[in-house]
Amino acid sequence: MRFLFLGDMVGRSGRTAVADRLPGLIADFRLDFVVVNGENAAGGFGVTEEILQDTLKAGADVVTTGNHVWDQREALEFAPRQERFLRPLNFPPGTPGRGSGLFEARNGARVLVANIMGRVFMSPDLDDPFRCAGDLVAACPLGEQADATILDFHAEATSEKQSMGHFLDGRVSLVVGTHTHVPTADHQILVGGTAFQSDAGMCGDYDSSLGMEKEEPLNRFLTKVSRGRFEPAQGEATICGLAVEISDRTGLAEKLAPLRLGPRLAEAIPAFWT
């Protein structure tokens, strides 16, 4: 199975780049399944239902989120009815929406996708992500109920992300980190066969501070006084993500490589797709 994960879309620039490039990527590389993190898509904070629908129309099979999931209050209303919209699974029982789902890929495979949020340096402080992840894979084992299992681990600390990768190694197809908006160089297949990357990066303008216009973040570092709110940078975006070849037989990773398309960062196209 050919799988693509795209990191956090930031603002209009990021979501426009995904809408423009994703349909061609799906067609050119015959992708079976795509997950996009959309939690910063609406002005940098949260996601609206219109943006969600546009992202799904562009070819995303699932849109994940993170700590900004409820920044657009309408998400509380549409989350229960949008099955392909995921908020972190470790929110308390009774929270609107869902944190995981079993979906059908274009090749007919059953793909379990989960969105879980870390605890280290994160707010709100949610339920234990490791217990939550363990319960999930025990209830829907890879190779039994699921042909592939994907985890978007939305977390700040690299140590927590790497530990989650090792915790789930051999039991899921991919653990990929989001939230820090900077693509890491530690993409690898762990010893048990799980693909891993600490952070996929963002889909946004990299002439910025994490996708935001750089002047206000810099001002706050220099003066400790806010002069206004953060606004998404509006320059041309680079889309960043991770491509994974998943075995149809085992559900584990066989190949992986970063995807980067756009200015600022060195472009990267997975060689095993060309």
Side-chain angles (χ1 to χ4, degrees), residues 1-3 32-35 61-62 86 100-114 140 142 145-151 173 246:
M1 183 175 79
R2 289 187 166 190
F3 171 78
D32 296 305
F33 203 83
V34 178
V35 175
D61 295 285
V62 176
L86 300 184
S100 66
L102 195 63
F103 306 93
E104 184 176 350
R106 293 171 184 82
N107 66 345
R110 300 162 300 170
V111 183
L112 175 64
V113 182
C140 189
L142 184 65
Q145 282 92 342
D147 300 307
T149 301
I150 311 298
L151 172 62
S173 310
I246 298 172

Side-chain angles (χ1 to χ4, degrees), residues 248-262:
D248 294 332
R249 181 178 60 85
T250 67
L252 297 172
E254 295 181 323
K255 301 174 184 176
L256 83 165
L259 174 78
R260 294 189 300 271
L261 294 172

Side-chain angles (χ1 to χ4, degrees), residues 219-240:
N219 165 66
R220 294 190 193 184
F221 282 119
L222 293 174
T223 70
K224 305 301 180 185
V225 177
S226 171
R227 292 179 181 169
R229 59 168 289 163
F230 290 158
E231 298 287 348
Q234 296 299 323
E236 185 180 353
T238 297
I239 62 173
C240 287

Side-chain angles (χ1 to χ4, degrees), residues 9-20 40-44 51 55 203 237:
M9 290 191 296
V10 181
R12 181 182 301 275
S13 177
R15 65 180 190 258
T16 298
V18 171
D20 288 346
N40 301 114
I51 292 171
T55 307
C203 298

